[in-house]
Amino acid sequence: MPSPIPVTRLLPRDIYPSVDIGVCSSPLSKHSHGYTLQVPVQRLHGKVASRLWSSVIHWKQLRSVQPVGSGGFGSVYRAEYLGETVALKRVKKCAKNQLASRQSFWAELNAAHLRHRNIVRVIAATTCVPADFGDESSIGTILMEFVGSRNLQQVIYGGAEPLGEDRWLRYSTDIAHGLMFLHSHGVVHLDIKPANVLVSNEDVCKIADFGCSLKLDGACEDSSLSARLSHVCGTYTHRAPELLKGEGVSPKADIFSFGITLWQLITRDPPYTGDRHYVLYAVVAHSLRPSVQHHPAFRSEQGRLCGALLGRCWSAEAGCRPSAQEVLSHLQQLRAHV
């Protein structure tokens, strides 16, 4: 689950949707002139919508709700809804930072209007939760496609499954496809890591958990507001140095995180060891990165080519990193020679 987000990221209270009057949540966009609400057209003609998400959940159609997992900002369940297996995510108020958990719910919907093979599809989301389906600690509920019970973190560190070159190249290509699509629509994820990439029963990777995401336009990429919103968001082991320094948000922050994730796929090792504060300092001040030069996984010709790609992805200068499209092209070339 995402790290707490500062109060400055939140909408003014007077334009939040109210549970009492039955208004439901919508994605947020950050533009140079402020925040806007994007209210989707409701289309749910007797079955789960395939193109647009709905701001209404038909609660009586939920069946067989079973817990799957939980985290600091909510719980995830498997359920049957209108004839389909779905994932139900209930976002709860964080006792220490209720405003941050509310913003996490809204951020989850930044990519709700997008449809792509490598992004978890949102079916419906609402802040209107009946008493018999929620509790006082619930902010809202999101229905998503049910991808499966595995994430990339489990695949990498579970130990039982083989993770050969052809497989990690395919997984990383899936993630790059998803990132390229998100970035083309102005969405930055800001928390790319193995635990936030789900692996389907068909062995396809899908980017999930948009609780740290931000919708950008060209006017706000380098603004000081963007920097204040982002530098505490995400997971410290995968966070780009410019975000650690409080600088502006851009899609290149996701490329840095992707580089750390790709290294984990190749090596099946943790990226860093030692004290958290030391890692944070060393990443910024001394360009600390996971080991490539001395790791056996990078001694082959393919390994050296991947090492070169990683060096570009986690460059200290965001402008020196490749785009998601460039990363994808590089990975496709590597796959052609496997």
Side-chain angles (χ1 to χ4, degrees):
M1 303 299 288
S3 304
I5 302 170
V7 174
T8 52
R9 182 170 176 177
L10 302 176
L11 286 174
R13 183 178 294 274
D14 59 351
I15 63 171
Y16 267 122
S18 168
V19 176
D20 295 333
I21 62 174
V23 180
C24 302
S25 53
S26 302
L28 291 180
S29 290
K30 173 66 182 69
H31 298 281
S32 56
H33 55 274
Y35 285 96
T36 60
L37 304 183
Q38 302 172 343
V39 182
V41 178
Q42 296 178 21
R43 295 181 184 177
L44 199 68
H45 303 300
K47 62 180 181 179
V48 174
S50 60
R51 294 187 180 275
L52 292 176
W53 68 283
S54 173
S55 57
V56 171
I57 294 177
H58 300 271
W59 297 99
K60 292 182 179 180
Q61 300 300 320
L62 279 171
R63 304 281 189 274
S64 305
V65 180
Q66 300 293 330
V68 173
S70 62
F73 275 77
S75 301
V76 179
Y77 304 82
R78 176 175 177 164
E80 298 297 319
Y81 183 67
L82 297 174
E84 288 192 25
T85 302
V86 299
L88 183 155
K89 185 170 187 176
R90 182 174 293 155
V91 180
K92 65 183 180 181
K93 297 175 185 176
C94 176
K96 294 182 179 180
N97 196 337
Q98 294 185 17
L99 295 178
S101 54
R102 180 181 285 245
Q103 178 60 18
S104 175
F105 173 84
W106 281 67
E108 287 276 8
L109 304 181
N110 277 327
H113 62 295
L114 302 178
R115 296 290 176 265
H116 191 273
R117 177 176 182 266
N118 301 118
I119 298 171
V120 174
R121 176 170 63 96
V122 173
I123 296 166
T126 181
T127 56
C128 316
V129 183
D132 52 341
F133 280 93
D135 54 52
E136 293 182 358
S137 68
S138 177
I139 291 174
T141 300
I142 304 170
L143 288 186
M144 301 168 286
E145 66 170 310
F146 183 78
V147 176
S149 57
R150 295 184 305 161
N151 62 43
L152 208 53
Q153 178 88 1
Q154 295 164 327
V155 172
I156 293 173
Y157 299 112
E161 298 180 73
L163 193 55
E165 189 174 83
D166 59 335
R167 195 176 180 197
W168 62 251
L169 273 172
R170 179 161 47 83
Y171 283 172
S172 57
T173 300
D174 281 349
I175 301 170
H177 269 295
L179 285 177
M180 185 175 73
F181 185 76
L182 288 173
H183 294 170
S184 71
H185 288 82
V187 176
V188 285
H189 186 279
L190 297 179
D191 199 17
I192 293 294
K193 60 181 180 180
N196 287 342
V197 177
L198 302 183
V199 183
S200 74
N201 293 331
E202 293 75 32
D203 215 31
V204 174
C205 285
K206 294 175 180 278
I207 298 172
D209 203 334
F210 284 78
C212 280
S213 68
L214 196 64
K215 184 77 165 64
L216 299 179
D217 64 11
C220 76
E221 274 195 13
D222 298 319
S223 70
S224 59
L225 175 60
S226 294
R228 291 200 305 271
L229 302 184
S230 69
H231 77 283
V232 299
C233 189
T235 304
Y236 81 93
T237 52
H238 294 68
R239 198 179 304 158
E242 67 271 16
L243 303 189
L244 295 174
K245 293 187 290 184
E247 297 174 356
V249 178
S250 80
K252 298 298 181 70
D254 284 345
I255 300 301
F256 183 94
S257 303
F258 170 83
I260 305 295
T261 300
L262 176 56
W263 185 92
Q264 292 175 274
L265 272 168
I266 296 171
T267 67
R268 305 187 84 161
D269 288 334
Y272 305 112
T273 58
D275 179 74
R276 176 181 185 270
H277 295 288
Y278 165 76
V279 171
L280 291 172
Y281 172 77
V283 165
V284 173
H286 301 296
S287 295
L288 175 68
R289 303 291 186 269
S291 175
V292 170
Q293 185 176 358
H294 302 293
H295 200 288
F298 298 97
R299 291 174 183 169
S300 66
E301 180 61 26
Q302 286 284 83
R304 286 192 289 272
L305 292 173
C306 285
L309 175 61
L310 289 176
R312 295 181 62 203
C313 287
W314 58 42
S315 170
E317 297 296 328
C320 295
R321 297 174 207 149
S323 65
Q325 184 173 4
E326 290 171 325
V327 168
L328 181 59
S329 297
H330 194 114
L331 292 171
Q332 289 171 335
Q333 292 174 14
L334 289 175
R335 291 185 69 185
H337 293 89
V338 172

